[in-house]
Amino acid sequence: MSKNLYIAAAEAETGKSMIVLGIMDFLSRYVDKIGFFRPVVRSGKVIDNHIRLISSRYNLKFDYESMYGITSDEMFAFNKTGDTESIYTSILNKYKLLEQKCDFVLVEGSDFRSYLSQYEFDFNLRVANNLNCPIISIISGVSKDVPEVLESIQVMRSVLAMEKCIQIGTIVNRARKNDISQIATFLKEVMPNSEVNFVIPEKAFLQKLTMRQIKDGLSAKQIYGDDVSLNHDVIDVKVAAMNIENILNNISEGSLIITPGDRIDVLLGLSFTLLSNNYPKIAGILLTGGFKPNDQFKKLIYGLKRLPITILSVECDTFTAATEVSKVRPLLFPENEQRLASALGLFEKYVVVEELAKKITITKSNVVTPLMFEYELFNRAKQNRKHIVLPEANDDRILRAASILLNRKAVDITLLGNEEEINQRAASLNISLKNAFIIDPFDNDLIEEYTAEYYRLRKHKGISKEAAKQLMYDVSYLGTMMVHKGHADGMVSGAINTTQHTIRPAFEFIKTKPGTSIVSSSFLMCLEDRVLVYADCAVNPNPDAKQLADIAISSAKTAAMFGIEQRIAMLSYSTGSSGKGKSVEKVREATEIVKKRRPELKTEGPIQYDAAIDASVAKTKMPDSEVAGKATIFIFPDLNTGNNTYKAVQRSANAVAIGPVLQGLNKPVNDLSRGCQVTDIVNTVVITAIQAQEEDSLF
């Protein structure tokens, strides 16, 4: 079994960072303790961006210094004295220390930025051999026709053969789209069957600079803007050396405007374009000469409604600043989730990761980390893509989540809201929603059909046609009706609306499944090494014994849906027959109901949490139990206990809590916490899509 893999670029401008991100992404699905290593990083105080990206995104628990071999200054010093062997020895020693802590290490080669760039491929191959790493080589298709790409492949192959490297694959990246088929055919003909080969086209969005990259590349100071505006794409660069009237005639969408810092007229004019629908939205402003806006300007701009723009300042003159901007290379940053999602979507489209996994001969870990679980969810969602409606399109978190989901092609999305307002907000957030469906609750062709259906279903409750129509203008009712009518497969809401507001329509006309008396909720608790189910933690304050049994059976179905073994612990403050009291008896009765209704389920109760989860405690308290010490489904006796417990575990154990997942409805509708993050929304939407897939399998 391979314990490592080396990603080596054969030349500059290969887009290697996207390949590394994609491979790390799929490795994280299979491997528990994964490491990341770079043989050489640039000297200086700034942390290597590739290490920062990978370590933060995949939550690697290693010190920065342990994730690289030597710095560029150290490499230069060794070369200067002629002691080149110490370069390789130093790298190997550092690598071995990291390898001891990992099941697998992904190694990313150098970046073709050093004074030794003409020798870098040879250097990387020698490092790979010293580390005993199989290699994936990356060829650039930038500015090359097909014969030039093929020549690059042949040269790369000859160098690999000469160095006796273990080659497992070749990726041609940034190829012209029309050339993909021809290049792929050539690779198939000349490469051994033991290797994998892929061709990925050039995508303009990966080559765009962002304001964050401009800021970091020029060591500029940010004097206005936030993290969101730093992620704005820079489409072009314009130097503003004319009067404001002429500047306004020449700006375009995504322009970076470079201007002396004392041009307050330019600053004012450009700032106010952001408030107008008649002008394109620029990406940012770069002030030169070390000049800063005066106090009057600061007072004015900070008094405006938050402007979606970054203003940077540098000490150098305008010409120097423009020259330095031209030298900045596009990078993938952990802060730009939208760019990362797009990059991963491109990688997954053109690289068959299952084939790659076979060549690396990875043994899949029995441990299930949060990241592994989340990626399995994504993979399942993609297999049978569902349509999910998001009613709260006036929330930035919802729009960001929608963009990520669309980029990853996990689901189809309908947003409820005014189309012009949604698109304007998306533009200010620098996200794309071009593949989303948008329905205006106050202007759509469905309102009469939905009104008639709601009136038919609820007229026995005394609802009038006019009242029914008014309810259909409510996004929660409109979204739920879309699910009911089959125009969407599921709904996710609750980032703004209360739980009651979110689920009341579902109670009214989606109703519960046959044989289920109560709608409940569960959380998928992703701990460091496993996934558990907690229920009910969000809906029912004090369920009786029959309802508690229903919750347990519904939770077992949820666990099965997501590949979690079904071992149910009916929790109480006592274990077995030792305790007395009303609440204990309720749990005892509920346990008996579960065993009677579903005898095939492994169920234990009453049982305390420690006895349910800890094998050593279980050995003392319930040594003969099939559940004690091995429970995977935890049923809490009341909402107070369940809600506080899941939050305590989430915070104290750094667990990822996915949910709440609503159980028992005929069609999937899920509620968000109003304090949810973008990741929570993404996960809940994917969960909802998988629930919809399961509904399909029943028919």
Side-chain angles (χ1 to χ4, degrees):
M1 182 188 82
S2 303
K3 286 198 64 174
N4 50 25
L5 179 65
Y6 201 106
I7 311 299
E11 55 197 314
E13 297 186 350
T14 60
K16 172 166 58 66
S17 57
M18 184 199 74
I19 306 299
V20 169
L21 178 70
I23 292 176
M24 190 72 182
D25 204 65
F26 103 80
L27 285 171
S28 299
R29 308 174 204 176
Y30 293 88
V31 181
D32 177 20
K33 298 177 182 176
I34 190 167
F36 182 71
F37 186 80
R38 301 207 70 194
V40 185
V41 297
R42 298 179 75 180
S43 301
K45 295 181 180 179
V46 179
I47 292 176
D48 178 80
N49 186 68
H50 295 225
I51 293 178
R52 189 171 77 88
L53 168 64
I54 298 299
S55 62
S56 64
R57 182 172 181 84
Y58 300 102
N59 198 28
L60 305 187
K61 306 294 188 182
F62 307 110
D63 295 333
Y64 174 64
E65 288 74 19
S66 68
M67 298 175 71
Y68 69 84
I70 58 175
T71 66
S72 55
D73 284 352
E74 290 170 332
M75 188 173 179
F76 178 80
F78 283 131
N79 275 310
K80 191 175 180 180
T81 62
D83 185 16
T84 56
E85 285 304 311
S86 290
I87 295 173
Y88 299 100
T89 303
S90 299
I91 293 170
L92 178 61
N93 289 339
K94 288 281 292 287
Y95 171 82
K96 285 295 183 182
L97 291 173
L98 178 65
E99 185 186 52
Q100 292 171 11
K101 304 172 185 175
C102 303
D103 298 325
F104 193 99
V105 181
L106 181 65
V107 185
E108 180 188 356
S110 53
D111 292 328
F112 287 83
R113 290 189 183 182
S114 75
Y115 66 99
L116 292 173
S117 59
Q118 64 269 35
Y119 306 112
E120 277 196 62
F121 191 50
D122 295 333
F123 164 76
N124 282 302
L125 298 190
R126 185 172 176 188
V127 172
N129 281 342
N130 276 296
L131 304 185
N132 196 28
C133 282
I135 293 174
I136 290 179
S137 304
I138 308 175
I139 299 289
S140 174
V142 176
S143 302
K144 294 179 184 176
D145 56 24
V146 171
E148 290 172 321
V149 173
L150 304 187
E151 183 183 4
S152 296
I153 294 170
Q154 295 283 36
V155 171
M156 179 267 296
R157 294 293 301 173
S158 64
V159 176
L160 286 164
M162 191 164 50
E163 295 292 334
K164 297 182 173 59
C165 295
I166 307 167
Q167 170 84 348
I168 68 166
T170 301
I171 297 177
V172 178
N173 191 30
R174 303 183 66 186
R176 293 185 300 197
K177 194 167 185 177
N178 293 338
D179 297 340
I180 288 178
S181 177
Q182 195 172 346
I183 296 170
T185 300
F186 176 81
L187 285 168
K188 190 174 181 180
E189 290 173 351
V190 302
M191 298 299 184
N193 291 331
S194 59
E195 298 180 15
V196 291
N197 306 287
F198 306 103
V199 186
I200 304 174
E202 172 80 291
K203 290 293 182 181
F205 69 81
L206 288 175
Q207 304 313 312
K208 295 175 183 175
L209 293 173
T210 65
M211 290 302 300
R212 186 183 305 277
Q213 291 165 329
I214 301 294
K215 173 179 176 290
D216 292 351
L218 275 66
S219 299
K221 293 180 180 177
Q222 184 176 3
I223 61 176
Y224 186 84
D226 54 20
D227 281 345
V228 173
S229 62
L230 281 173
N231 289 329
H232 285 182
D233 290 330
V234 176
I235 308 298
D236 62 15
V237 179
K238 290 186 169 66
V239 176
M242 56 191 79
N243 64 47
I244 185 61
E245 181 181 356
N246 290 319
I247 292 171
L248 293 179
N249 287 331
N250 285 278
I251 64 172
S252 56
E253 194 76 26
S255 290
L256 168 65
I257 310 299
I258 304 177
T259 188
D262 58 354
R263 292 290 304 272
I264 300 300
D265 59 326
V266 174
L267 271 174
L268 286 172
L270 292 174
S271 298
F272 280 104
T273 64
L274 300 167
L275 303 175
S276 173
N277 292 328
N278 297 325
Y279 283 90
K281 300 298 183 282
I282 63 175
I285 303 170
L286 178 61
L287 305 178
T288 64
F291 299 109
K292 305 286 194 308
N294 58 33
D295 291 340
Q296 288 82 1
F297 176 81
K298 290 180 181 177
K299 184 177 181 180
L300 175 64
I301 196 169
Y302 282 106
L304 294 172
K305 185 179 179 181
R306 181 169 57 102
L307 297 178
I309 192 172
T310 287
I311 302 176
L312 304 176
S313 173
V314 291
E315 297 294 324
C316 60
D317 60 66
T318 301
F319 176 80
T320 304
T323 303
E324 291 303 307
V325 167
S326 70
K327 297 177 182 177
V328 179
R329 295 175 61 176
L331 296 170
L332 293 171
F333 281 88
E335 294 85 359
N336 196 337
E337 183 61 44
Q338 308 300 325
R339 182 76 61 89
L340 296 178
S342 298
L344 286 170
L346 180 65
F347 180 88
E348 292 165 354
K349 183 177 180 179
Y350 290 95
V351 176
V352 184
V353 294
E354 292 78 11
E355 291 183 13
L356 191 54
K358 289 177 184 176
K359 298 302 179 185
I360 304 173
T361 57
I362 297 170
T363 299
K364 191 169 184 177
S365 173
N366 291 322
V367 171
V368 181
T369 67
L371 201 61
M372 290 177 184
F373 186 69
E374 287 173 14
Y375 282 118
E376 287 296 328
L377 296 180
F378 260 93
N379 285 340
R380 285 185 61 185
K382 289 177 180 180
Q383 290 169 14
N384 179 14
R385 203 158 76 195
K386 293 299 179 181
H387 188 158
I388 307 300
V389 58
L390 303 177
E392 301 166 318
N394 55 334
D395 189 293
D396 287 355
R397 296 168 296 173
I398 296 293
L399 299 184
R400 292 180 186 279
S403 179
I404 291 169
L405 289 158
L406 292 167
N407 281 329
R408 298 292 300 275
K409 295 180 172 58
V411 294
D412 296 321
I413 294 285
T414 287
L415 298 167
L416 301 186
N418 180 273
E419 184 169 6
E420 183 180 353
E421 291 177 0
I422 290 172
N423 287 331
Q424 284 182 352
R425 189 57 193 155
S428 68
L429 294 171
N430 197 38
I431 60 177
S432 173
L433 296 172
K434 66 179 181 179
N435 293 322
F437 303 96
I438 300 176
I439 295 177
D440 190 333
F442 298 97
D443 183 18
N444 65 81
D445 297 331
L446 299 167
I447 195 71
E448 297 302 328
E449 177 187 346
Y450 287 2
T451 297
E453 177 67 4
Y454 185 76
Y455 175 71
R456 183 185 70 82
L457 293 169
R458 301 292 292 176
K459 62 184 179 181
H460 68 284
K461 293 289 187 179
I463 193 79
S464 67
K465 288 184 179 181
E466 183 56 35
K469 189 170 185 176
Q470 289 301 314
L471 282 173
M472 286 304 109
Y473 293 131
D474 183 297
V475 291
S476 291
Y477 277 85
L478 179 61
T480 307
M481 185 59 74
M482 287 184 68
V483 177
H484 171 70
K485 293 287 289 182
H487 298 157
D489 299 305
M491 184 183 83
V492 174
S493 188
I496 300 172
N497 294 305
T498 65
T499 295
Q500 189 65 23
H501 194 113
T502 297
I503 65 178
R504 183 190 296 117
F507 287 167
E508 289 183 7
F509 54 88
I510 285 183
K511 305 290 187 178
T512 58
K513 292 179 183 292
T516 302
S517 65
I518 189 172
V519 174
S520 59
S521 72
S522 63
F523 279 88
L524 303 177
M525 300 296 296
C526 304
L527 306 182
E528 190 175 36
D529 58 352
R530 56 189 150 165
V531 180
L532 306 174
V533 176
Y534 283 12
D536 179 356
C537 305
V539 177
N540 298 291
N542 191 25
D544 60 28
K546 185 181 177 183
Q547 292 171 328
L548 206 58
D550 249 9
I551 293 168
I553 292 169
S554 293
S555 300
K557 291 177 182 177
T558 298
M561 190 182 303
F562 298 104
I564 301 168
E565 188 178 5
Q566 299 160 284
R567 297 178 184 268
I568 305 171
M570 307 293 289
L571 297 175
S572 179
Y573 58 77
S574 73
T575 295
S577 58
S578 62
K580 304 289 183 185
K582 187 176 178 180
S583 61
V584 178
E585 291 306 319
K586 179 180 77 171
V587 174
R588 186 170 288 118
E589 183 183 349
T591 304
E592 292 305 313
I593 295 172
V594 174
K595 289 180 176 180
K596 185 176 181 179
R597 287 177 56 189
R598 295 291 303 276
E600 77 280 8
L601 293 174
K602 296 174 181 175
T603 308
E604 191 70 74
I607 187 171
Q608 292 162 288
Y609 190 94
D610 59 346
I613 199 166
D614 191 314
S616 62
V617 177
K619 191 175 180 179
T620 301
K621 292 189 175 183
M622 299 190 96
D624 300 323
S625 173
E626 291 184 292
V627 174
K630 297 175 286 189
T632 56
I633 303 167
F634 296 78
I635 308 302
F636 296 94
D638 54 62
L639 184 60
N640 181 54
T641 308
N643 191 268
N644 279 294
T645 303
Y646 105 78
K647 288 178 178 176
V649 173
Q650 182 186 30
R651 298 295 190 273
S652 60
N654 290 321
V656 176
I658 301 175
V661 180
L662 293 186
Q663 308 169 149
L665 289 169
N666 275 313
K667 292 187 177 182
V669 171
N670 280 313
D671 180 40
L672 297 164
S673 164
R674 277 170 284 175
C676 63
Q677 304 297 312
V678 172
T679 303
D680 301 324
I681 300 168
V682 169
N683 286 336
T684 303
V685 171
V686 172
I687 288 283
T688 306
I690 294 171
Q691 285 179 301
Q693 291 175 351
E694 291 296 316
E695 293 297 325
D696 283 353
S697 68
L698 299 175
F699 298 98

